[in-house]
mmCIF file of all heavy atoms in Angstrom:
data_model
loop_
_atom_site.group_PDB
_atom_site.id
_atom_site.type_symbol
_atom_site.label_atom_id
_atom_site.label_comp_id
_atom_site.label_asym_id
_atom_site.label_seq_id
_atom_site.Cartn_x
_atom_site.Cartn_y
_atom_site.Cartn_z
ATOM 1 N N GLN A 280 82.614 92.318 133.175
ATOM 2 C CA GLN A 280 81.975 91.169 132.550
ATOM 3 C C GLN A 280 82.953 90.500 131.590
ATOM 4 O O GLN A 280 83.617 91.182 130.802
ATOM 5 C CB GLN A 280 80.731 91.595 131.782
ATOM 6 C CG GLN A 280 79.616 92.161 132.629
ATOM 7 C CD GLN A 280 78.385 92.413 131.781
ATOM 8 O OE1 GLN A 280 77.577 91.513 131.536
ATOM 9 N NE2 GLN A 280 78.238 93.644 131.327
ATOM 10 N N LEU A 281 83.033 89.182 131.652
ATOM 11 C CA LEU A 281 83.816 88.384 130.711
ATOM 12 C C LEU A 281 82.827 87.564 129.896
ATOM 13 O O LEU A 281 82.213 86.628 130.413
ATOM 14 C CB LEU A 281 84.798 87.486 131.464
ATOM 15 C CG LEU A 281 85.634 86.500 130.644
ATOM 16 C CD1 LEU A 281 86.445 87.216 129.571
ATOM 17 C CD2 LEU A 281 86.549 85.687 131.550
ATOM 18 N N LEU A 282 82.657 87.936 128.615
ATOM 19 C CA LEU A 282 81.599 87.371 127.796
ATOM 20 C C LEU A 282 82.153 86.856 126.470
ATOM 21 O O LEU A 282 83.116 87.419 125.935
ATOM 22 C CB LEU A 282 80.527 88.432 127.510
ATOM 23 C CG LEU A 282 79.845 89.074 128.724
ATOM 24 C CD1 LEU A 282 78.929 90.211 128.267
ATOM 25 C CD2 LEU A 282 79.058 88.034 129.513
ATOM 26 N N PRO A 283 81.540 85.814 125.914
ATOM 27 C CA PRO A 283 81.972 85.337 124.600
ATOM 28 C C PRO A 283 81.709 86.394 123.530
ATOM 29 O O PRO A 283 80.794 87.217 123.661
ATOM 30 C CB PRO A 283 81.121 84.085 124.374
ATOM 31 C CG PRO A 283 79.942 84.243 125.275
ATOM 32 C CD PRO A 283 80.430 85.008 126.462
ATOM 33 N N ALA A 284 82.524 86.353 122.466
ATOM 34 C CA ALA A 284 82.414 87.357 121.401
ATOM 35 C C ALA A 284 81.286 86.997 120.437
ATOM 36 O O ALA A 284 81.489 86.794 119.240
ATOM 37 C CB ALA A 284 83.742 87.481 120.672
ATOM 38 N N SER A 285 80.076 86.956 120.971
ATOM 39 C CA SER A 285 78.881 86.685 120.168
ATOM 40 C C SER A 285 78.409 87.982 119.533
ATOM 41 O O SER A 285 78.817 89.080 119.941
ATOM 42 C CB SER A 285 77.778 86.131 121.068
ATOM 43 O OG SER A 285 77.377 87.128 122.005
ATOM 44 N N PRO A 286 77.527 87.916 118.524
ATOM 45 C CA PRO A 286 77.001 89.154 117.917
ATOM 46 C C PRO A 286 76.361 90.094 118.943
ATOM 47 O O PRO A 286 76.544 91.316 118.867
ATOM 48 C CB PRO A 286 75.982 88.629 116.907
ATOM 49 C CG PRO A 286 76.504 87.280 116.514
ATOM 50 C CD PRO A 286 77.090 86.715 117.776
ATOM 51 N N GLU A 287 75.639 89.530 119.914
ATOM 52 C CA GLU A 287 74.998 90.375 120.927
ATOM 53 C C GLU A 287 76.028 91.097 121.786
ATOM 54 O O GLU A 287 75.871 92.288 122.103
ATOM 55 C CB GLU A 287 74.090 89.519 121.822
ATOM 56 C CG GLU A 287 72.907 88.880 121.115
ATOM 57 C CD GLU A 287 73.278 87.626 120.331
ATOM 58 O OE1 GLU A 287 74.427 87.124 120.498
ATOM 59 O OE2 GLU A 287 72.436 87.159 119.536
ATOM 60 N N ASN A 288 77.084 90.381 122.146
ATOM 61 C CA ASN A 288 78.098 90.990 123.003
ATOM 62 C C ASN A 288 79.026 91.921 122.221
ATOM 63 O O ASN A 288 79.558 92.880 122.796
ATOM 64 C CB ASN A 288 78.893 89.899 123.711
ATOM 65 C CG ASN A 288 78.037 89.113 124.681
ATOM 66 O OD1 ASN A 288 77.085 89.656 125.255
ATOM 67 N ND2 ASN A 288 78.339 87.837 124.861
ATOM 68 N N ILE A 289 79.204 91.670 120.945
ATOM 69 C CA ILE A 289 79.924 92.622 120.097
ATOM 70 C C ILE A 289 79.147 93.934 120.020
ATOM 71 O O ILE A 289 79.732 95.024 120.098
ATOM 72 C CB ILE A 289 80.168 92.014 118.701
ATOM 73 C CG1 ILE A 289 81.295 90.973 118.779
ATOM 74 C CG2 ILE A 289 80.494 93.095 117.670
ATOM 75 C CD1 ILE A 289 81.451 90.132 117.550
ATOM 76 N N ALA A 290 77.831 93.846 119.909
ATOM 77 C CA ALA A 290 77.000 95.057 119.912
ATOM 78 C C ALA A 290 77.107 95.794 121.250
ATOM 79 O O ALA A 290 77.151 97.030 121.291
ATOM 80 C CB ALA A 290 75.548 94.693 119.618
ATOM 81 N N LEU A 291 77.158 95.036 122.347
ATOM 82 C CA LEU A 291 77.331 95.646 123.672
ATOM 83 C C LEU A 291 78.676 96.362 123.756
ATOM 84 O O LEU A 291 78.760 97.501 124.252
ATOM 85 C CB LEU A 291 77.240 94.566 124.748
ATOM 86 C CG LEU A 291 77.577 94.993 126.184
ATOM 87 C CD1 LEU A 291 76.631 96.094 126.664
ATOM 88 C CD2 LEU A 291 77.523 93.783 127.123
ATOM 89 N N ALA A 292 79.739 95.714 123.264
ATOM 90 C CA ALA A 292 81.069 96.337 123.273
ATOM 91 C C ALA A 292 81.070 97.618 122.454
ATOM 92 O O ALA A 292 81.619 98.650 122.883
ATOM 93 C CB ALA A 292 82.102 95.355 122.732
ATOM 94 N N ALA A 293 80.436 97.581 121.286
ATOM 95 C CA ALA A 293 80.383 98.768 120.433
ATOM 96 C C ALA A 293 79.653 99.918 121.119
ATOM 97 O O ALA A 293 80.077 101.085 121.052
ATOM 98 C CB ALA A 293 79.709 98.416 119.107
ATOM 99 N N ALA A 294 78.559 99.600 121.814
ATOM 100 C CA ALA A 294 77.802 100.642 122.513
ATOM 101 C C ALA A 294 78.630 101.260 123.636
ATOM 102 O O ALA A 294 78.601 102.483 123.847
ATOM 103 C CB ALA A 294 76.504 100.051 123.063
ATOM 104 N N LEU A 295 79.367 100.432 124.365
ATOM 105 C CA LEU A 295 80.234 100.955 125.430
ATOM 106 C C LEU A 295 81.307 101.873 124.850
ATOM 107 O O LEU A 295 81.594 102.948 125.397
ATOM 108 C CB LEU A 295 80.887 99.798 126.181
ATOM 109 C CG LEU A 295 79.993 99.024 127.148
ATOM 110 C CD1 LEU A 295 80.661 97.716 127.580
ATOM 111 C CD2 LEU A 295 79.659 99.872 128.373
ATOM 112 N N LEU A 296 81.915 101.473 123.748
ATOM 113 C CA LEU A 296 82.947 102.288 123.113
ATOM 114 C C LEU A 296 82.378 103.617 122.630
ATOM 115 O O LEU A 296 83.031 104.665 122.760
ATOM 116 C CB LEU A 296 83.576 101.512 121.954
ATOM 117 C CG LEU A 296 84.435 100.312 122.377
ATOM 118 C CD1 LEU A 296 84.659 99.370 121.207
ATOM 119 C CD2 LEU A 296 85.768 100.780 122.945
ATOM 120 N N GLN A 297 81.190 103.591 122.107
ATOM 121 C CA GLN A 297 80.548 104.828 121.651
ATOM 122 C C GLN A 297 80.259 105.775 122.816
ATOM 123 O O GLN A 297 80.202 106.992 122.619
ATOM 124 C CB GLN A 297 79.259 104.500 120.901
ATOM 125 C CG GLN A 297 79.490 103.849 119.544
ATOM 126 C CD GLN A 297 78.220 103.278 118.947
ATOM 127 O OE1 GLN A 297 77.226 103.040 119.647
ATOM 128 N NE2 GLN A 297 78.229 103.031 117.646
ATOM 129 N N ARG A 298 80.111 105.211 124.009
ATOM 130 C CA ARG A 298 79.855 106.034 125.208
ATOM 131 C C ARG A 298 81.151 106.472 125.893
ATOM 132 O O ARG A 298 81.121 107.049 126.975
ATOM 133 C CB ARG A 298 78.990 105.261 126.203
ATOM 134 C CG ARG A 298 77.590 104.958 125.701
ATOM 135 C CD ARG A 298 76.616 104.728 126.861
ATOM 136 N NE ARG A 298 76.988 103.605 127.697
ATOM 137 C CZ ARG A 298 76.542 102.355 127.530
ATOM 138 N NH1 ARG A 298 75.723 102.077 126.521
ATOM 139 N NH2 ARG A 298 76.896 101.397 128.349
ATOM 140 N N GLY A 299 82.298 106.167 125.290
ATOM 141 C CA GLY A 299 83.573 106.609 125.850
ATOM 142 C C GLY A 299 84.182 105.658 126.852
ATOM 143 O O GLY A 299 85.089 106.042 127.606
ATOM 144 N N GLU A 300 83.725 104.383 126.877
ATOM 145 C CA GLU A 300 84.302 103.389 127.780
ATOM 146 C C GLU A 300 85.429 102.625 127.083
ATOM 147 O O GLU A 300 85.664 102.782 125.876
ATOM 148 C CB GLU A 300 83.221 102.416 128.246
ATOM 149 C CG GLU A 300 82.148 103.050 129.105
ATOM 150 C CD GLU A 300 82.685 103.589 130.419
ATOM 151 O OE1 GLU A 300 83.766 103.151 130.860
ATOM 152 O OE2 GLU A 300 82.015 104.458 131.013
ATOM 153 N N VAL A 301 86.111 101.793 127.851
ATOM 154 C CA VAL A 301 87.168 100.942 127.313
ATOM 155 C C VAL A 301 86.721 99.489 127.396
ATOM 156 O O VAL A 301 85.977 99.099 128.307
ATOM 157 C CB VAL A 301 88.506 101.133 128.066
ATOM 158 C CG1 VAL A 301 89.073 102.507 127.805
ATOM 159 C CG2 VAL A 301 88.339 100.908 129.559
ATOM 160 N N VAL A 302 87.192 98.682 126.452
ATOM 161 C CA VAL A 302 86.765 97.288 126.334
ATOM 162 C C VAL A 302 87.969 96.424 125.986
ATOM 163 O O VAL A 302 88.784 96.805 125.139
ATOM 164 C CB VAL A 302 85.680 97.150 125.235
ATOM 165 C CG1 VAL A 302 85.389 95.692 124.933
ATOM 166 C CG2 VAL A 302 84.403 97.868 125.650
ATOM 167 N N GLY A 303 88.076 95.260 126.620
ATOM 168 C CA GLY A 303 89.079 94.279 126.232
ATOM 169 C C GLY A 303 88.558 93.429 125.087
ATOM 170 O O GLY A 303 87.438 92.917 125.161
ATOM 171 N N LEU A 304 89.346 93.293 124.028
ATOM 172 C CA LEU A 304 88.874 92.522 122.880
ATOM 173 C C LEU A 304 90.007 91.723 122.249
ATOM 174 O O LEU A 304 91.174 92.102 122.353
ATOM 175 C CB LEU A 304 88.198 93.418 121.840
ATOM 176 C CG LEU A 304 89.031 94.255 120.879
ATOM 177 C CD1 LEU A 304 88.134 94.844 119.794
ATOM 178 C CD2 LEU A 304 89.754 95.374 121.597
ATOM 179 N N PRO A 305 89.673 90.608 121.592
ATOM 180 C CA PRO A 305 90.704 89.752 121.018
ATOM 181 C C PRO A 305 91.200 90.276 119.677
ATOM 182 O O PRO A 305 90.449 90.881 118.908
ATOM 183 C CB PRO A 305 89.972 88.417 120.822
ATOM 184 C CG PRO A 305 88.552 88.817 120.580
ATOM 185 C CD PRO A 305 88.322 90.046 121.421
ATOM 186 N N THR A 306 92.476 90.073 119.411
ATOM 187 C CA THR A 306 93.017 90.192 118.061
ATOM 188 C C THR A 306 93.852 88.942 117.809
ATOM 189 O O THR A 306 94.028 88.118 118.709
ATOM 190 C CB THR A 306 93.897 91.452 117.869
ATOM 191 O OG1 THR A 306 95.193 91.214 118.394
ATOM 192 C CG2 THR A 306 93.281 92.673 118.524
ATOM 193 N N GLU A 307 94.364 88.801 116.609
ATOM 194 C CA GLU A 307 95.188 87.629 116.319
ATOM 195 C C GLU A 307 96.564 87.715 116.979
ATOM 196 O O GLU A 307 97.244 86.700 117.147
ATOM 197 C CB GLU A 307 95.341 87.445 114.802
ATOM 198 C CG GLU A 307 96.286 88.400 114.114
ATOM 199 C CD GLU A 307 95.681 89.768 113.823
ATOM 200 O OE1 GLU A 307 94.644 90.139 114.419
ATOM 201 O OE2 GLU A 307 96.268 90.474 113.000
ATOM 202 N N THR A 308 96.989 88.917 117.399
ATOM 203 C CA THR A 308 98.306 89.085 118.022
ATOM 204 C C THR A 308 98.201 88.850 119.525
ATOM 205 O O THR A 308 98.624 87.817 120.031
ATOM 206 C CB THR A 308 98.876 90.467 117.695
ATOM 207 O OG1 THR A 308 97.955 91.492 118.136
ATOM 208 C CG2 THR A 308 99.137 90.612 116.212
#
């Protein structure tokens, strides 16, 4: 899934990470 970094999708990313998954996320670099 390619989703905008909205609060809902940030929560989804956090839940995936807590379950041991990997997530692509933006940084300033």
Side-chain angles (χ1 to χ4, degrees):
Q280 295 186 84
L281 176 57
L282 302 174
S285 65
E287 296 79 11
N288 294 329
I289 285 169
L291 172 60
L295 285 167
L296 291 163
Q297 289 168 341
R298 295 203 299 267
E300 294 296 339
V301 292
V302 171
L304 79 170
T306 80
E307 75 280 17
T308 57

